[in-house]
């Protein structure tokens, strides 16, 4: 659709712009500010809009950067916002013109700060912000931004102010993204983590969460529209034609990004993730607040520290996460709550409609080629954490689903949620082994299946076939690589055998496949040991594919597990031979024999193995994974068009 910005628009000749970016210092009470801040603009809602905006103001920002050390006008503009925001907090009625100018003030500050942070050091940035201030201008600014978010209700007339306040905080925190330094060495981060406003951190986190939960769309008149009729003659020609066209009303919702649909919700969750994921992890007040919040429907004992906890409507949060579970940021938020907030984990595991959450996660895994690798990884970790709970593992097999149309390999007219989960995880393992080759991913996939295996019930014939097929596929690859490894290790020359050792990578691949095969066998064995009588289709599949296991009987890595599976195969093979008198029988008759034979199955016939129980544990220094990931999400979803993105990988070194 493009933008409606006039490409001939030249702000560099505008008298208000030139005065602001010039060398002359403009006092806090100068009438200039009312004229300068009376412009109409619809802020960018796409990356292209943002790029076009920046192209129009770049020369002005360069001039401002050059002159601000002398003029102090950036510092004055920030103090102007601090002063006016306190008036907003104290106002009983909302004044349209006042709100409009306050919105414009924040929008101007965020444009300036973004340019400065991308082009200067943090030390230079602080010099421009402070500029002979008697007290910390930065801390006062951050405190005022927090006060807006916490104390000003989100209404149509204040929506833009909230959005710009949160965007300003995101831009300030991007000093880590651009500096390549750890955030625990940053003055900005130190101020955000330890300033006067920290006392309100639980309420601040709660407000960000509520913004995410509400998913409030842009109100009518966002940006310039709400004040236009009131300011004819007041609004300068400054930026009045610098507006961006919106998509037509008939445009499909699917064409819009989350930011275009609900920018306040998008920016809020991104800011929350940035606050939670940085190097100030020991006493991070935002992290502690998120991990200690509880459900507002419960009435626990009063907390020992009233500033470290808040209550939230978990029901509404759960429903929003279900709707947004296909997105990276909501998935990461869900992971944090499941992994670190015991109250939320308990609440979620008690849900009777858990399929509302699990199915979107399975869709993400199913569409792995179109998903970010980190998103796939976090989705699997969520399933692994859930699979640690036996009630969850039992419930998913009792939850029946019909007509899963997005699973296209086979028509699934009726299947259990547990069965669908097994199918998708098996598919993810195969995709990973062929494409991504991430050891941790398939280890976590198999760990989730292993945790659930003792509760596998009524496995569909197709699921049983896919489970055995997983072993067969990996077995063929293992045997091929194993032969290649053996052939490569020794070369016959006349009567002499020469050993060669240049096969490290091949050995690693063989070892990984051994681990996978062993785990798949343990999963099958766990199911047979705990649920044999409830899985006739799995036994049928084992009988039909018995030759798959023959090559591993004498392999010391597998023979103890194969021994158990052989016992099952032999027991039911003998039954079939006896019942059929060695005559050919059809599938229904085989199943009937298996079901009858299962009733007489001697429970002590199989060798005992330890229960398969795996628990997710974060790696040491998980922020090395999460910080670059979070900033990549901010870069993708905030439409702020971050420059210098190559430093995102350096920022955690």
């Amino acid at each position: 659709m493009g933008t409606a910005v006039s490409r001939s628009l030249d702000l560099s000749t505008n008298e208000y712009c030139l005065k602001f970016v010039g060398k002359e210092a403009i006092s806090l009470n100068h009438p200039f500010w009312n004229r300068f801040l009376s412009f109409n603009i619809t802020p960018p809602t796409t990356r292209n809009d943002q790029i076009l905006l920046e192209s129009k103001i770049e020369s002005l920002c360069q001039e401002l950067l050059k002159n601000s050390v002398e003029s102090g006008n950036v510092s004055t503009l920030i103090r102007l916002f601090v002063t006016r925001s306190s008036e907003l907090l104290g106002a009983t009625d909302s004044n349209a013109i006042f709100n409009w100018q306050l919105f414009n003030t924040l929008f101007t500050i965020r444009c300036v700060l973004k340019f400065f942070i991308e082009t200067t050091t943090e030390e230079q940035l602080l010099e421009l912000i402070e500029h002979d201030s008697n007290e910390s201008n930065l801390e006062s600014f951050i405190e005022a931004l927090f006060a807006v978010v916490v104390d000003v209700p989100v209404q149509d007339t204040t929506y833009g102010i909230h959005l710009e306040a949160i965007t300003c905080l995101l831009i300030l925190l991007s000093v880590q993204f651009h500096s390549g330094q750890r955030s625990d060495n940053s003055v900005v981060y130190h101020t955000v983590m330890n300033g006067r406003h920290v006392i309100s951190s639980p309420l601040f986190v709660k407000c960000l969460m509520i913004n995410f939960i509400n998913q409030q769309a842009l109100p009518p008149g966002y940006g310039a529209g709400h004040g236009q009729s009131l300011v004819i003659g007041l609004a300068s020609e400054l930026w009045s034609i610098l507006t961006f066209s919106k998509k037509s009303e008939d445009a499909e919702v699917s064409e819009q990004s989350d930011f275009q649909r609900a920018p306040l919700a998008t920016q809020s969750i991104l800011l929350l993730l940035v606050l939670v994921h940085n190097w100030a992890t020991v006493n991070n007040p935002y992290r502690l607040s998120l991990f200690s919040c509880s459900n507002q429907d419960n009435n626990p004992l009063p907390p020992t520290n009233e500033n470290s906890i808040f209550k939230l409507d978990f029901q509404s949060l759960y429903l929003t996460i279900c709707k947004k579970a296909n997105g990276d940021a909501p998935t990461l938020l869900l992971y944090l709550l499941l992994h670190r907030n015991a109250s939320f984990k308990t609440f979620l595991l008690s849900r009777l409609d858990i399929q509302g959450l699990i199915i979107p996660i399975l869709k993400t895994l199913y569409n792995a080629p179109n998903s970010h690798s980190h998103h796939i990884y976090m989705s699997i970790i969520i399933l692994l954490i859930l699979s640690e709970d036996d009630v969850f593992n039992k419930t998913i097999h009792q939850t029946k689903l019909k007509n899963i149309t997005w699973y296209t390999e086979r028509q699934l007219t009726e299947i259990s949620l547990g069965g669908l989960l097994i199918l998708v995880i098996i598919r993810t393992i195969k995709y990973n082994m062929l494409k991504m080759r991430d050891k941790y991913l398939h280890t976590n996939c198999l760990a989730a299946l292993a945790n659930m295996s003792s509760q596998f019930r009524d496995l569909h014939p197709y699921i049983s076939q896919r489970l055995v097929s997983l072993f067969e596929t990996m077995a063929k690859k293992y045997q091929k690589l194993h032969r290649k490894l053996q052939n490569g290790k020794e070369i016959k020359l006349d009567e002499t055998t020469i050993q060669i050792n240049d096969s490290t990578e091949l050995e690693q691949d063989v070892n990984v496949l051994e681990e996978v095969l062993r785990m798949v066998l343990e999963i099958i064995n766990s199911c047979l040991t705990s649920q044999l009588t409830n899985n006739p289709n799995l036994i049928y599949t084992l009988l039909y594919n018995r030759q798959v296991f023959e090559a591993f009987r004498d392999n010391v890595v597998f023979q103890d597990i194969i021994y158990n599976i052989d016992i099952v195969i032999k027991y039911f093979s003998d039954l079939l031979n006896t019942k059929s008198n060695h005559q050919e029988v059809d599938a229904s008759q085989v199943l009937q024999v298996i079901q009858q034979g299962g009733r007489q199955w001697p429970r002590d016939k199989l060798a005992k193995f330890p229960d398969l129980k795996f628990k997710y544990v974060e790696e040491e220094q998980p922020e090395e994974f999460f910080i670059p990931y979070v900033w990549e999400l901010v870069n993708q979803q905030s439409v702020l068009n971050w420059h210098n993105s190559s430093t995102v990988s350096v920022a955690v070194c």
Side-chain angles (χ1 to χ4, degrees):
M1 298 294 293
T3 62
V5 178
S6 169
R7 296 191 177 272
S8 62
L9 176 63
D10 185 7
L11 294 175
S12 62
T13 60
N14 181 275
E15 60 176 303
Y16 298 100
C17 290
L18 292 174
K19 186 175 180 66
F20 174 59
V21 305
K23 295 181 180 179
E24 179 188 346
I26 308 169
S27 66
L28 189 64
N29 298 316
H30 197 288
F32 162 82
W33 294 112
N34 282 332
R35 297 289 295 177
F36 176 64
L37 297 171
S38 295
F39 59 81
N40 292 324
I41 186 169
T42 301
T45 56
T46 69
R47 185 179 292 266
N48 286 339
D49 289 349
Q50 179 68 27
I51 292 171
L52 187 52
L53 169 65
E54 290 178 5
S55 71
K56 294 298 180 185
I57 64 174
E58 182 177 3
S59 61
L60 290 169
C61 288
Q62 288 173 342
E63 194 70 15
L64 182 64
L65 177 60
K66 184 173 69 176
N67 295 327
S68 279
V69 174
E70 182 177 340
S71 72
N73 287 340
V74 171
S75 177
T76 304
L77 181 62
I78 289 174
R79 282 187 282 123
L80 181 68
F81 165 73
V82 172
T83 302
R84 292 190 176 184
S85 66
S86 64
E87 296 175 24
L88 175 67
L89 297 173
T92 54
D93 296 316
S94 183
N95 181 289
I97 295 179
F98 180 82
N99 289 350
W100 171 57
Q101 287 199 335
L102 192 61
F103 166 83
N104 287 344
T105 306
L106 270 180
F107 181 79
T108 305
I109 291 173
R110 72 114 132 165
C111 290
V112 169
L113 287 180
K114 183 174 183 294
F115 180 84
F116 283 5
I117 288 172
E118 289 176 341
T119 54
T120 67
T121 64
E122 185 176 359
E123 291 73 20
Q124 291 171 316
L125 172 72
L126 293 173
E127 184 181 354
L128 296 171
I129 290 175
E130 300 299 348
H131 197 267
D132 300 330
S133 297
N134 295 325
E135 59 179 52
S136 173
N137 219 15
L138 175 66
E139 183 164 4
S140 297
F141 180 50
I142 292 172
E143 188 175 17
L145 294 174
F146 268 65
V148 166
V149 174
V150 170
D151 296 326
V152 177
V154 179
Q155 301 169 342
D156 284 0
T157 54
T158 60
Y159 186 102
I161 297 173
H162 275 267
L163 179 56
E164 292 304 317
I166 289 170
T167 301
C168 279
L169 285 167
L170 262 179
I171 288 171
L172 276 173
L173 292 168
S174 72
V175 292
Q176 174 177 276
F177 180 81
H178 295 96
S179 70
Q181 303 295 319
R182 283 175 53 128
S183 56
D184 48 6
N185 299 320
S186 162
V187 174
V188 170
Y189 272 81
H190 179 78
T191 306
V192 170
M193 294 294 156
N194 301 285
R196 296 184 298 262
H197 55 275
V198 165
I199 192 172
S200 66
S201 57
L203 281 176
F204 186 76
V205 171
K206 181 176 182 177
C207 289
L208 295 181
M209 292 287 282
I210 289 173
N211 288 345
F212 169 68
I213 290 169
N214 289 343
Q215 293 290 313
Q216 187 173 340
L218 283 172
Y222 170 65
H226 63 263
Q228 208 160 7
S229 62
L230 299 173
V231 293
I232 293 173
L234 214 189
S236 72
E237 72 281 8
L238 172 57
W239 312 33
S240 59
I241 58 173
L242 191 61
T243 59
F244 301 91
S245 63
K246 299 191 183 315
K247 288 185 179 287
S248 68
E249 296 295 326
D250 329 342
E252 292 184 15
V253 176
S254 60
E255 293 180 0
Q256 293 183 308
S257 66
D258 281 347
F259 185 90
Q260 289 172 303
R261 284 190 291 267
L264 184 59
T266 301
Q267 298 293 72
S268 293
I269 190 173
L270 292 174
L271 176 59
L272 180 60
L273 293 176
V274 169
L275 290 170
V276 169
H277 290 298
N278 58 76
W279 287 105
T281 55
V282 179
N283 293 308
N284 183 326
Y286 312 100
R287 194 175 179 89
L288 294 173
S289 296
L290 180 66
F291 295 164
S292 62
C293 72
S294 60
N295 191 1
Q296 68 182 24
D297 291 339
N298 296 331
N299 295 299
L301 294 173
T304 54
N305 179 2
E306 291 184 3
N307 291 325
S308 68
I309 195 169
F310 62 88
K311 292 186 177 182
L312 197 65
D313 183 357
F314 281 179
Q315 166 74 5
S316 297
L317 174 60
Y318 173 77
L319 293 175
T320 300
I321 289 177
C322 287
K323 291 176 184 174
K324 296 294 178 181
N326 62 337
D328 286 77
T331 299
L332 186 49
L333 176 63
L334 174 60
Y335 160 77
L336 288 169
L337 291 170
L338 274 178
H339 182 47
R340 302 299 297 269
N341 188 309
S343 296
F344 185 80
K345 183 178 180 181
T346 300
F347 167 84
L348 191 147
L349 287 169
S350 69
R351 301 290 304 188
L352 298 177
D353 58 348
I354 194 71
Q355 67 270 23
L357 178 67
I358 302 301
I359 289 177
I361 293 174
L362 295 183
K363 284 183 178 180
T364 294
L365 295 174
Y366 187 80
N367 294 309
N370 301 320
S371 301
H372 191 293
S373 59
H374 287 10
H375 191 192
I376 297 169
Y377 190 75
M378 298 316 304
S379 299
I380 283 293
I381 295 301
I382 288 169
L383 295 179
L384 174 56
I385 293 172
L386 292 173
S387 74
E388 295 168 12
D389 184 79
D390 287 336
V391 175
F392 170 82
N393 296 332
K394 186 176 181 180
T395 301
I396 58 176
H397 286 284
Q398 295 171 340
T399 304
K400 303 302 179 184
L401 307 172
K402 292 182 182 295
N403 298 321
I404 308 301
T405 55
W406 51 267
Y407 189 95
T408 58
E409 274 90 334
R410 180 186 174 110
Q411 187 177 8
L412 299 176
T413 54
E414 185 169 345
I415 193 172
S416 70
L417 178 60
L420 183 62
L421 199 156
I422 295 167
L423 283 178
V424 173
I425 290 183
I426 288 173
R427 189 176 185 273
T428 304
I429 294 170
K430 288 190 172 183
Y431 171 75
N432 178 56
M433 296 296 286
L434 294 172
K435 301 289 185 182
M436 295 171 64
R437 296 168 62 83
D438 182 336
K439 178 182 176 181
Y440 292 104
L441 180 60
H442 73 245
T443 298
N444 285 301
C445 284
L446 290 167
L449 286 180
N451 283 347
M452 295 184 283
S453 60
S454 64
Q455 296 291 340
F456 286 176
R457 295 177 64 91
D458 303 319
L459 292 183
H460 190 282
Y462 178 61
I463 300 169
S464 303
Q465 184 268 322
R466 297 299 291 168
L467 187 57
V468 174
S469 173
L470 174 65
F471 180 83
E472 183 178 17
T473 301
M474 299 303 156
K476 288 178 179 177
K477 189 171 184 179
Y478 169 78
Q479 289 165 331
K480 181 180 178 181
L481 291 180
H482 194 268
R483 284 194 299 270
K484 188 176 179 181
L485 182 63
Q486 293 305 114
N487 293 337
K489 274 191 170 181
E490 51 185 48
I491 300 175
K492 278 233 172 187
L493 188 63
D494 297 328
E495 299 301 318
T496 309
T497 299
I498 302 174
Q499 300 290 324
I500 61 171
N501 297 308
D502 189 19
S503 54
T504 306
E505 186 176 343
L506 191 58
E507 283 186 8
Q508 289 175 345
D509 286 347
V510 169
N511 290 336
V512 167
L513 281 167
E514 273 186 359
E515 292 176 14
V516 172
L517 288 169
R518 172 81 189 186
M519 184 73 87
V520 175
L521 289 173
E522 288 181 342
I523 289 166
I524 294 172
N525 178 68
S526 172
C527 177
L528 293 174
T529 303
S530 305
Q531 300 287 343
L532 183 142
T533 56
N534 294 315
N535 285 293
N537 289 316
L538 177 59
I539 297 170
Y540 180 97
T541 306
L542 292 174
L543 291 173
Y544 190 78
N545 295 277
R546 68 185 77 184
Q547 76 285 347
V548 172
F549 305 97
E550 290 174 358
F552 296 89
R553 286 198 182 101
D554 299 325
N555 189 317
V556 292
V557 178
F558 310 109
Q559 61 186 188
D560 55 340
I561 296 282
I562 292 288
Y563 175 76
N564 265 9
I565 294 173
D566 269 349
I567 289 175
V568 174
I569 291 173
K570 185 176 187 309
Y571 174 84
F572 286 98
S573 293
D574 291 345
L575 275 180
L576 278 169
N577 290 333
T578 301
K579 294 286 185 182
S580 66
N581 197 23
H582 299 280
Q583 301 296 314
E584 192 169 329
V585 291
D586 62 23
S588 62
Q589 291 172 313
V590 174
L591 275 175
Q592 189 176 10
V593 171
I594 291 172
Q595 289 166 341
Q596 290 171 349
R599 298 189 188 103
Q600 284 81 43
W601 170 257
R603 291 182 176 274
D604 58 351
K605 200 170 181 65
L606 298 180
K608 299 296 182 185
F609 286 83
D611 289 343
L612 294 180
K613 288 294 178 186
F614 294 88
K615 188 174 180 62
Y616 170 71
V617 179
E618 276 188 345
E619 296 282 326
E620 288 187 18
Q621 294 202 327
E623 301 314 311
E624 291 184 355
F625 170 88
F626 287 112
I627 291 174
Y629 181 32
V630 167
W631 278 108
E632 188 174 352
L633 295 183
V634 175
N635 191 31
Q636 291 170 354
Q637 298 176 18
S638 68
V639 306
L640 283 172
N641 183 42
W642 302 102
H643 296 300
N644 199 24
S645 58
S646 61
T647 58
V648 71
S649 59
V650 181
V652 294
C653 293

